[in-house]
Amino acid sequence: MKDLLSLKTSLNEEIEKILNEQVKVEAHSSAIYLAMSSWCDDQGFDFSAGYFAKQADEERHHMLKLFNYINDRGGKAISPEVVNVPKDFESFRSVFELALEQEMHVTAQFNNIAEKCFKVKDFVTFQFIQWFLAEQIEEEYVARRILEMFDVIGEEGTGRWEIDKHIPKVTYNAE
Ligand SMILES: [Fe+2]
Ligand SMILES: [Fe+2]
C-alpha cells in the first residue's frame, strides 16, 4: 500500500516557495510600519504613531495567516529573517508615500501568486489568497486617502498637526 503520509505535502513546491516569500514580505511590512511608528512618535505625530503601530500588528497577522496555511497544507513555513528596516525618514509626507509604495508592492506580489496558482492549477491556494487581494483594496485606499490630505489640508502652519489628528479617522467603506 502506498504510504500517503510519505508524500508529505499536497502543496506544490513552487507555491510553497512563493508563499514563504510572501511571509517574508509581510514580516518586512510589519517591521517597516513599526519603524514608521517610532519615527512618528519621536517627531510628535502621536496619532500617526498609533496608526502605524496598528498597521504593524495587522501585517504580523497577515504573516501568520500565510505561515499557518503553508503548514496546514503540509508544507514547511519558514520564520523569516527581516533585514533592511529603515530607522529614519525624510519627512512626515515621505513616510506615507513609502507606506503606499509598500502596499502597492504587496498587491503586485499577490497578483503574482494568483497567476502562479493558475499556472499550476492550485485553486485551493487561489481561493485562500482572495482574502488578501480584497484586503489590499482597503490598504491602498487608506494610504492614498491619507496622501490626499497632505494636498487638501496643506503642510503649512498647523497643517501637519491637523493631518496627524485626522489619520485615525481615515477608513475604507466599500458600501
Ligand atoms: Fe499585509
Ligand atoms: Fe498592508
Side-chain angles (χ1 to χ4, degrees), residues 112-130:
N112 285 340
I113 297 172
E115 194 183 10
K116 191 140 276 175
C117 287
F118 263 87
K119 217 182 97 200
V120 304
K121 294 193 167 66
D122 182 351
F123 299 115
V124 178
T125 301
F126 180 71
Q127 205 252 0
F128 167 72
I129 66 158
Q130 297 309 303

Side-chain angles (χ1 to χ4, degrees), residues 26 29-30 33 55 58-59 62 99 102-104 106-107 110 135-136 138-140:
E26 300 292 340
S29 290
S30 182
Y33 282 141
Q55 287 299 112
E58 275 185 22
E59 300 303 348
H62 296 170
Q102 180 66 18
E103 290 304 335
M104 286 168 72
V106 169
T107 305
F110 276 110
E135 174 78 7
Q136 284 312 112
E138 180 181 343
E139 298 273 71
E140 281 195 33

Side-chain angles (χ1 to χ4, degrees), residues 62-125:
H62 296 170
M63 180 197 82
L64 289 174
K65 214 175 163 91
L66 288 155
F67 192 91
N68 292 334
Y69 175 80
I70 296 167
N71 280 340
D72 289 348
R73 293 286 315 280
K76 187 170 188 218
I78 297 164
S79 181
E81 192 181 355
V82 182
V83 292
N84 290 328
V85 183
K87 288 188 193 73
D88 287 308
F89 301 90
E90 256 171 54
S91 63
F92 189 37
R93 186 192 178 113
S94 79
V95 172
F96 289 97
E97 283 169 351
L98 268 177
L100 174 59
E101 260 176 42
Q102 180 66 18
E103 290 304 335
M104 286 168 72
H105 170 63
V106 169
T107 305
Q109 285 299 113
F110 276 110
N111 281 331
N112 285 340
I113 297 172
E115 194 183 10
K116 191 140 276 175
C117 287
F118 263 87
K119 217 182 97 200
V120 304
K121 294 193 167 66
D122 182 351
F123 299 115
V124 178
T125 301

